[in-house]
């Protein structure tokens, strides 16, 4: 955890610096007439201080212990699965305006059930098909949530 | 007494068949969307607004109000069963409620949440009825420094909520503030928008919530192969036993008080009050170490608080026409659309709306209690669906929830980003709740801050010179120092023990 804290601390320091510098580009005003940049400036200063403390704490205790570093992922397959979920979500989001709500939802659910849910093709197709139809009727037909019109219309 | 006469009129309006039916519909829909991860009351009320055009104003408000407090009930159900808050206010219920469910005590958890909500909601409505005018006057005395101080206090109380370190909680809260600053500020300056037009109005709450709590949690669960259900519940009995009641009575009482008082103050009072109630209960409890592992007080208190806040949220709306949160803003919008002018004159010009709404809230609370307890079995069956099939649906609902707030796919991008962030945060020991709270509070916090400085001509001591805000800030500092102090005490103890060993 301490190594993670060190990395987090450094990342936060970088973030804090970025926000601090960006806040300076906004009209800071004065304390009498606070501008848009004042609040972010104060907050980023606080962030920098606290992140510095975190980094320092992590650095100091790291020297002391040298304990085994707990693995970031609990299983070997975990990174692959996480990436698959992201691929699925990003794919869904960009497929939606192309082929429409119903088909893209079906494909999204199919992808996830098959490759992450541990089901075979038949069950995956069945569940994803049923879900897609139900969800289509629920959200697009009944609740009439405006979905982007697909480029490829069926 | 005038009030009783008015209440009788109110009940007369509320128990017409149409209004009863609409109250039921509102409560049911509210509970449903509260349970379903990915959709919230703001979006639902906004979506169903067109449906109310053909209805008289009183009926419309009755239904919409039903959705609002129904969602409070429903949000706690998912918080307890799936560790996913349907509403930000239910986020705190996740902590102990979910742990109780993992121990096979989902039934008592849900039961005490339902009963606590009912009691608090009903008592809340009673107080609403009695105290609306004088409380509105007190709230007027809360100036920007006091509002700022209350929010600082709320954020500081996070120290008690983080099972991790106080330092990390503050850091992540600051991140939340920055996210809240994205958009065009009060002065019209565009901040941190990266020139993306969709961000001019800020990043929506729903994408952030869905990403952090929904997607982030799913990602974390998916690290391990799904060979069987990740979460198996045996719901043995829905009713809390005597011991549960004994432990919950005072948290419910205190939660009701906290929630009701906080609900009047502009801001996300449901969330704030549930967080505050949790902190108070933890502080006052004999078994503080149980908090986080399934202490029923951690469910009873916050649930009562957020339902009581629901009731008192209506006070500024019905007496001053000032919405205290996005949901209330939509309800004010509904009133305006129906040709009613909300404000101090509402009670005089449209007493039917005022008293009819209040009366229907009594009825609504009863309906929700009846709806919730038997339907728990239904929700449990729904959640017994294997995780391999459930998680795609959860992700889907997160998508829809994020998308439907603005009908924008950019919001979906935001949600995916926050999903990644939420996952990384879980892995590195940063809790999402402080971020969410700070993000919600940010616009109010900054506005109060800037107004206070303008008022004091740049003098920071205004926060400490005014007695009310000084007291509130003093309490906040107390929390911080106590936490640091206990931290130092513990370190000293451990050091001394080490020395003893050597």
């Amino acid at each position: 955890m301490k190594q993670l804290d060190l990395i987090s601390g450094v990342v936060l320091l970088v973030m804090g610096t970025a926000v601090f510098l960006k806040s300076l580009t906004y009209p800071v005003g004065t304390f009498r007439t606070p501008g848009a940049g004042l609040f972010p400036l104060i907050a980023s200063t606080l962030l920098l201080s606290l992140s510095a403390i975190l980094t320092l704490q992590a650095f100091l205790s790291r020297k002391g212990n040298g304990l085994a570093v707990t693995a970031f992922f609990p299983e070997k397959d975990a990174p692959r699965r996480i990436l698959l979920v992201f691929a699925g979500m990003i794919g869904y989001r960009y497929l939606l305006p192309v082929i429409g709500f119903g088909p893209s939802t079906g494909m999204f659910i199919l992808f996830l059930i098959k490759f992450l849910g541990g089901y075979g093709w038949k069950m995956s197709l069945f569940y994803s098909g049923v879900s897609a139809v139900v969800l289509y009727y629920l959200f697009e037909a009944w609740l009439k949530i405006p979905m982007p019109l697909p480029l490829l219309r069926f | 007494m005038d009030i009783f006469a008015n209440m009788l009129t109110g009940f007369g309006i509320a128990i017409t068949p149409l209004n009863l039916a609409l109250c039921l519909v509102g409560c049911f829909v509210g509970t449903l969307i509260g349970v379903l991860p990915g959709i919230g009351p703001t979006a639902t009320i906004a979506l169903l607004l067109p449906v109310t055009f053909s209805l008289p104003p009183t009926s419309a408000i009755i239904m919409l109000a039903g959705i609002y407090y129904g969602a409070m009930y429903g949000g706690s159900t998912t918080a307890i069963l799936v560790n996913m808050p349907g509403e930000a206010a239910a986020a705190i219920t996740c902590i102990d409620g979910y742990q109780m469910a993992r121990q096979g005590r989902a039934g008592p958890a849900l039961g005490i949440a339902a009963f606590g909500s009912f009691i608090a909601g009903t008592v809340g409505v009673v107080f609403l009825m009695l105290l609306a005018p004088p409380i509105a006057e007190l709230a007027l005395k809360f100036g920007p420094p006091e509002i700022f101080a209350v929010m600082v206090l709320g954020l500081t109380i996070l120290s008690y909520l983080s099972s991790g370190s106080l330092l990390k909680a503050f850091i992540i809260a600051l991140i939340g503030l920055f996210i809240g600053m994205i958009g065009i500020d009060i002065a019209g300056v565009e901040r941190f928008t990266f020139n993306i037009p969709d961000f001019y109005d800020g990043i929506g709450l729903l994408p952030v919530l869905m990403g952090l709590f929904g997607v982030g949690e799913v990602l974390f669960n998916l690290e391990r192969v799904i060979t069987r259900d990740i979460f198996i519940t045996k719901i043995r009995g829905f009713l809390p036993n005597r011991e549960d009641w004994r432990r919950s009575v005072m948290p419910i009482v205190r939660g009701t008080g906290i929630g009701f008082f906080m609900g009047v103050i502009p801001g996300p009072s449901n969330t704030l009050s549930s967080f505050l109630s949790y902190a108070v209960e933890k502080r006052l409890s004999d078994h503080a170490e149980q908090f986080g592992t399934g202490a029923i007080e951690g469910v009873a208190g916050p649930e009562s608080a957020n339902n009581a806040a629901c009731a008192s949220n209506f006070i500024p709306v019905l007496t001053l026409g000032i919405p205290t949160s996005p949901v209330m803003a939509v309800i004010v919008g509904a009133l305006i659309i129906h040709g009613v002018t909300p404000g101090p004159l509402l009670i005089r010009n449209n007493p039917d709306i005022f008293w009819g709404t209040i009366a229907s809230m009594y009825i609504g609370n009863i309906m929700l209690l009846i709806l919730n307890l038997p339907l728990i079995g239904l929700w449990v069956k729904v959640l017994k669906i294997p995780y391999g099939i459930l998680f795609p649906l959860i992700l889907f609902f997160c998508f829809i929830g994020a998308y439907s707030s603005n009908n924008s796919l950019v919001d979906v991008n935001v949600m995916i980003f926050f999903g990644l962030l939420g996952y990384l945060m879980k892995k590195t020991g940063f809790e999402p709740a402080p971020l969410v709270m700070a993000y919600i509070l940010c616009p109010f916090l900054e506005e109060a801050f800037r107004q206070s400085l303008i008022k004091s001509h740049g003098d920071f001591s205004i926060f400490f010179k005014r007695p009310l805000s000084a007291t509130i800030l003093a309490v906040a500092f107390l929390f911080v120092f106590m936490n640091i102090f206990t931290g130092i005490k513990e370190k000293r103890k451990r050091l001394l023990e080490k020395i003893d060993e050597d």
Side-chain angles (χ1 to χ4, degrees):
Chain A
M1 191 48 116
K2 289 304 172 190
Q3 277 204 335
L4 277 179
D5 278 358
L6 194 61
I7 299 173
S8 315
V10 171
V11 168
L12 287 163
L13 279 171
V14 170
M15 203 188 300
T17 315
V19 179
F20 184 84
L21 292 173
K22 193 75 182 147
S23 317
L24 289 173
T25 66
Y26 303 127
V28 175
T30 61
F31 286 137
R32 267 179 178 249
T33 50
L38 184 65
F39 198 63
L41 206 64
I42 296 176
S44 54
T45 314
L46 271 169
L47 179 65
L48 282 170
S49 333
L50 294 179
S51 313
I53 297 175
L54 179 71
T55 315
L56 206 63
Q57 270 183 355
F59 187 70
L60 290 174
S61 42
R62 185 169 145 259
K63 274 175 140 187
N65 286 349
L67 291 170
V69 177
T70 40
F72 190 72
F73 291 109
E75 283 179 23
K76 262 180 72 181
D77 212 25
R80 182 185 82 90
R81 279 200 294 280
I82 303 292
L83 281 172
L84 275 176
V85 179
F86 273 109
M89 287 196 293
I90 295 171
Y92 181 36
R93 179 255 177 270
Y94 284 101
L95 211 56
L96 185 77
V98 176
I99 61 173
F101 177 63
S104 55
T105 307
M107 288 185 65
F108 175 60
I109 297 181
L110 175 68
F111 178 79
L112 290 177
I113 294 183
K114 176 69 189 79
F115 293 111
L116 289 159
Y119 287 92
W121 276 110
K122 259 206 274 186
M123 291 306 260
S124 308
L125 281 164
F126 172 69
Y127 283 127
S128 60
V130 169
S131 313
V133 171
V134 169
L135 293 172
Y136 171 80
Y137 274 104
L138 184 60
F139 288 100
E140 194 160 348
W142 187 47
L143 286 176
K144 292 199 174 48
I145 295 188
M147 295 289 173
L149 284 175
L151 292 174
L152 314 169
R153 262 162 261 208
F154 294 116
Chain B
M1 260 174 79
D2 243 346
I3 290 183
F4 289 117
N6 287 323
M7 280 312 297
L8 278 175
T9 322
F11 274 111
I13 297 167
I15 55 176
T16 61
L18 174 67
N19 289 341
L20 275 177
L22 286 170
C23 187
L24 185 64
V25 167
C27 290
F28 184 77
V29 171
T31 313
L32 184 66
I33 50 124
V35 168
L36 285 175
I39 315 173
T42 318
T44 312
I45 292 177
L47 280 173
L48 291 179
L49 210 49
V51 171
T52 66
F53 287 160
S54 51
L55 299 169
T58 316
S59 310
I61 301 301
I62 286 176
M63 184 179 91
L64 297 176
I67 296 178
Y68 181 41
Y69 44 86
M72 289 298 136
Y73 274 75
S76 50
T77 308
T78 33
I80 291 169
L81 290 177
V82 214
N83 199 30
M84 208 166 18
E87 263 292 280
I92 209 71
T93 310
C94 286
I95 299 179
D96 280 278
Y98 185 59
Q99 292 307 318
M100 280 183 75
R102 295 203 88 123
Q103 293 159 19
R105 302 201 66 226
L110 291 165
I112 209 74
F115 280 114
S117 301
F118 170 70
I119 295 168
T122 308
V123 171
V125 179
V126 170
F127 280 122
L128 166 66
M129 175 184 83
L130 295 173
L131 299 176
I135 284 191
E137 274 200 48
L138 178 65
L140 282 172
K141 289 208 177 84
F142 253 59
E146 282 75 26
I147 295 177
F148 178 79
V150 163
M151 292 185 193
V152 168
L153 177 65
L155 284 169
T156 311
I157 283 171
L158 299 170
S159 64
Y160 274 69
L161 302 181
S162 286
S163 42
S165 78
L166 168 63
L167 185 63
K168 283 184 172 174
F170 275 135
I171 289 177
I172 207 68
L174 285 167
I175 304 284
L177 278 185
F178 294 133
I179 297 168
M181 287 182 218
I182 295 177
I184 299 182
D185 83 328
I186 331 168
V189 177
E190 193 198 302
R191 296 187 300 191
F192 306 117
T193 56
F194 306 105
N195 282 321
I196 301 174
D198 298 78
F199 288 169
Y200 288 172
D201 261 335
I203 291 186
L205 174 63
L206 285 172
V208 172
L209 272 182
M210 296 309 125
L212 282 180
F213 286 104
V215 179
E217 176 75 21
V218 168
L219 286 171
F220 191 71
N221 285 335
L222 285 176
E223 280 186 324
R224 293 176 170 75
V225 177
I226 306 166
T227 46
R228 54 171 190 275
D229 296 356
I230 291 211
F231 174 56
I232 301 173
T233 281
K234 274 193 173 57
I235 302 217
R236 296 182 232 111
F238 298 140
L239 294 177
N241 57 37
R242 280 186 74 154
E243 173 66 15
D244 294 328
W245 275 112
R246 194 190 60 80
R247 286 173 67 167
S248 306
V249 166
M250 285 316 288
I252 291 177
V253 170
R254 286 189 286 261
T256 307
I258 292 172
F260 188 79
F261 180 67
M262 306 249 6
V264 189
I265 302 168
S269 43
N270 306 63
T271 316
L272 261 180
S273 55
S274 61
F275 280 41
L276 183 59
S277 166
Y278 188 85
V280 166
E281 291 316 314
K282 190 169 173 181
R283 198 78 190 88
L284 294 174
S285 167
D286 296 323
H287 343 260
E289 71 288 344
Q290 280 183 16
F291 277 72
T293 64
I296 200 166
E297 297 92 331
V299 174
E303 280 304 312
S304 310
N306 75 29
N307 275 72
C310 249
S312 65
N313 263 342
F314 279 92
I315 291 183
V317 173
L318 293 174
T319 58
L320 299 170
I322 299 172
T324 49
S325 64
V327 186
M328 286 296 123
V330 181
I331 290 191
V332 169
L335 280 169
I336 295 173
I337 287 175
H338 281 270
V340 177
T341 316
L345 296 174
L346 180 78
I347 198 173
R348 213 188 303 163
N349 294 346
N350 302 88
D352 51 332
I353 295 183
F354 186 85
W355 296 108
T357 306
I358 295 180
S360 83
M361 286 167 80
Y362 279 113
I363 299 173
N365 271 302
I366 298 174
M367 281 185 184
L368 280 165
L369 188 66
I370 299 172
L371 266 180
N372 267 281
L373 291 180
L375 286 182
I376 290 175
L378 176 65
W379 308 134
V380 169
K381 283 214 176 63
V382 165
L383 290 159
K384 272 207 165 123
I385 299 172
Y387 198 69
I389 299 176
L390 191 63
F391 87 86
L393 291 175
I394 294 177
L395 286 179
F396 168 78
F397 280 115
C398 290
F399 254 81
I400 264 300
Y403 176 78
S404 64
S405 55
N406 280 324
N407 296 329
S408 159
L409 284 169
V410 176
D411 283 340
V412 175
N413 292 359
V414 170
M415 182 204 73
I416 295 177
F417 172 77
F418 276 96
L420 176 65
L421 185 67
Y423 170 68
L424 290 173
M425 277 166 57
K426 260 186 116 87
K427 303 289 288 181
T428 49
F430 288 91
E431 289 189 17
L435 186 154
V436 171
M437 231 189 39
Y439 157 84
I440 293 174
L441 286 180
C442 182
F444 304 103
L445 193 67
E446 181 175 9
E447 185 175 320
F449 179 72
R450 284 162 85 159
Q451 283 175 344
S452 308
L453 283 181
I454 293 174
K455 204 170 158 139
S456 69
H457 302 295
D459 184 8
F460 266 97
S461 63
I462 186 176
F463 297 108
F464 304 103
K465 283 205 186 121
R466 288 165 69 114
L468 214 49
S469 76
T471 320
I472 298 170
L473 282 174
V475 174
F477 284 132
L478 206 67
F479 270 101
V480 176
F481 288 129
M482 291 216 52
N483 202 286
I484 298 180
F485 184 63
T486 34
I488 294 179
K489 256 178 82 177
E490 273 177 37
K491 282 210 175 103
R492 271 193 77 218
K493 235 176 89 181
R494 266 184 266 140
L495 197 64
L496 289 171
E497 280 166 7
K498 256 191 91 184
I499 294 176
D500 279 335
E501 280 169 27
D502 300 335

